[in-house]
Amino acid sequence: MILQKTQRRPGPQGGIRDTNRKERLRALGDAALRLFLERGLDPVTIDDITQEAGVAKGSFYRYFDDKAALLESLLRPVRDEVLGALATCARALGKARDAEAMFDAYRALGAVLAGAVLTHAGVVRLYLQENRGAPTGTRQQLATLSDEISRSAILVARKGHTHGLLRKVHPAVSALTVVGAVERLLLAVLRGEEVGNPLEIPQALTSIILEGLRVPATSAR
């Protein structure tokens, strides 16, 4: 993981320098996100970001080594929330002994994902728009996160098979199918496409997926 220069030189918390640093970091992050969403990752330069933020170019390098480090700082909160939720879901599924416990685990995961979208809408949209591109340059950060999400989702699917609650579909097939569906739905919501009430999507998606994947009650162990 890329280490921000601000983490290596924290300064006194709550002081004037700390407050100014946070304001500049916020300005740089907000400016970069606006430009990334508008133009894509590759065309945007550090000059573009600093001009948009109204911050001297030298200040950028005081906080970040390069554009990839700035992107990593934008992605980190989303990464932490999503991967943490997937890990929690996997643990819950490992303990689940019936269909209701399995549904509860997936519902909790859906709630966290919905919260991440509401809290970090711009970053989530950037990830969804850019993560399918070639994993080169700055986009490598998105490719890495995409791989982490896929691996975690496959682990969740494997845990769902632990007690014979899911059909015998290869975990990678079911997991990646679900990831693709979730990502497309999230992008639809963030683009303002007609998908009904966004707050109802996690419950609806959980029901659709699990009704299709779970073992029928008559054959469950």
Side-chain angles (χ1 to χ4, degrees):
M1 180 180 290
I2 296 171
L3 187 66
Q4 285 189 48
K5 293 182 178 181
T6 50
Q7 292 176 312
R8 298 195 292 262
R9 298 166 52 190
Q13 187 172 3
I16 295 176
R17 289 180 61 192
D18 182 54
T19 300
N20 290 339
R21 179 174 58 251
K22 289 177 179 177
E23 290 177 354
R24 292 193 188 98
L25 281 168
R26 187 180 301 109
L28 288 167
D30 290 348
L33 184 57
R34 285 194 299 271
L35 294 174
F36 290 156
L37 288 170
E38 179 184 336
R39 305 180 192 175
L41 287 173
D42 291 338
V44 176
T45 66
I46 291 173
D47 282 332
D48 293 332
I49 294 169
T50 54
Q51 289 174 14
E52 177 77 9
V55 173
K57 187 173 182 179
S59 293
F60 180 95
Y61 291 106
R62 189 177 304 155
Y63 305 122
F64 302 104
D65 289 324
D66 51 25
K67 191 169 68 172
L70 190 157
L71 177 61
E72 197 276 339
S73 74
L74 292 174
L75 291 175
R76 188 183 305 114
V78 176
R79 174 192 288 114
D80 292 346
E81 289 182 29
V82 172
L83 296 182
L86 285 166
T88 299
C89 183
R91 289 192 295 270
L93 288 173
K95 299 175 182 178
R97 296 297 189 276
D98 55 43
E100 188 58 33
M102 183 176 64
F103 270 83
D104 286 344
Y106 278 102
R107 288 190 193 103
L109 173 61
V112 173
L113 294 179
V117 172
L118 292 174
T119 306
H120 311 287
V123 176
V124 172
R125 180 169 182 175
L126 176 64
Y127 168 79
L128 295 173
Q129 290 180 181
E130 297 280 342
N131 75 325
R132 300 303 183 196
T136 58
T138 305
R139 192 176 282 105
Q140 181 61 51
Q141 297 289 324
L142 298 173
T144 298
L145 178 55
S146 179
D147 289 343
E148 291 173 333
I149 290 173
S150 294
R151 287 194 297 269
S152 296
I154 292 170
L155 176 60
V156 166
R158 286 180 178 147
K159 291 293 185 179
H161 286 273
T162 300
H163 303 294
L165 296 174
L166 297 181
R167 297 178 188 272
K168 292 182 179 180
V169 177
H170 193 288
V173 174
S174 59
L176 297 179
T177 298
V178 171
V179 168
V182 170
E183 289 187 351
R184 183 61 186 90
L185 274 170
L186 290 179
L187 187 58
V189 170
L190 294 172
R191 285 177 172 173
E193 298 177 20
E194 178 51 52
V195 292
N197 183 352
L199 296 178
E200 296 175 356
I201 289 178
Q203 177 67 27
L205 188 59
T206 298
S207 297
I208 291 170
I209 292 169
L210 292 184
E211 288 297 341
L213 287 177
R214 74 170 176 168
V215 174
T218 55
S219 61
R221 291 184 295 173

